[in-house]
Structures are given as C-alpha cells and as structure tokens.
C-alpha cells in the first residue's frame, strides 16, 4: 500500500518502505501522508487488464525478435541500476 506526502510528494510503501512515524513524512516538512484516489483495487485491476491486452503482446513480440532485455527489478535501486548498466554496456 502506497502513501504520498501532501507537502513534498515523497512516496512510501507501508510494508516495504514505511515512514518512521505512521502517517507522517520523514522529511523535514513532516507532511501528512495520504493514499491517492487512483491507488485502489479497481484501478490496479484495470492496469493489469490493460497490461494483458496491450503491453504483454508487445513484449512478447520483442522477446521473439530477440530485441527485449529482461532486468530483475528485485533489490536496491543501485542493484537494479547495475543490472541495467551491464545490459547496455
């Protein structure tokens, strides 16, 4: 579950990147955190439906042509950056 700061916009995930104090931004702004209106189960299901109908076929096309490169997005930002960099250079 994502939350965003009303003041500075910093994003949090309640399980993977929670704020130090529930409902309050860690940054000096100490803004109140909120859940965006479009961050709900209906929107998520619609995004998944769109992925299956529009994005996945395109990804399959590029995989078959040998042009797609898959990067494991698990880990720190730096871990993922290194994986991407290694594919490009």
């Amino acid at each position: 579950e994502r939350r965003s700061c009303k003041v500075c916009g910093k994003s949090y995930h309640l399980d993977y990147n929670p704020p130090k104090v529930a409902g309050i931004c860690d940054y000096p702004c100490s803004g109140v955190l909120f859940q965006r209106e479009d961050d709900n189960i209906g929107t998520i299901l619609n995004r998944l439906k769109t992925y299956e109908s529009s994005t996945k076929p395109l990804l399959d096309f590029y995989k078959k042509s040998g042009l797609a490169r898959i990067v494991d997005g698990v880990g720190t930002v730096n871990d993922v950056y290194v994986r991407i960099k290694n594919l490009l250079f």
Side-chain angles (χ1 to χ4, degrees):
E1 291 186 53
R2 291 186 303 180
R3 297 293 185 269
S4 299
C5 176
K6 286 188 176 188
V7 177
C8 72
K10 178 170 172 41
S11 294
Y12 295 88
H13 188 282
L14 297 184
D15 293 326
Y16 303 110
N17 181 33
K20 292 175 185 168
V21 176
I24 304 295
C25 184
D26 294 341
Y27 281 15
C29 70
S30 298
V32 174
L33 303 183
F34 73 102
Q35 184 176 17
R36 293 179 0 195
E37 283 186 34
D38 68 340
D39 196 6
N40 59 60
I41 191 69
T43 302
I44 293 166
L45 291 174
N46 188 51
R47 288 178 185 153
L48 290 171
K49 182 179 174 182
T50 301
Y51 170 80
E52 287 293 326
S53 66
S54 300
T55 306
K56 188 173 182 305
L58 188 60
L59 180 57
D60 292 340
F61 170 82
Y62 282 108
K63 281 181 181 178
K64 287 177 186 170
S65 69
L67 295 173
R69 300 291 184 261
I70 307 301
V71 177
D72 183 355
V74 176
T76 67
V77 171
N78 191 60
D79 291 340
V80 177
Y81 168 76
V82 169
R83 289 184 204 119
I84 293 169
K85 188 176 170 186
N86 288 339
L87 280 176
L88 296 175
F89 301 104

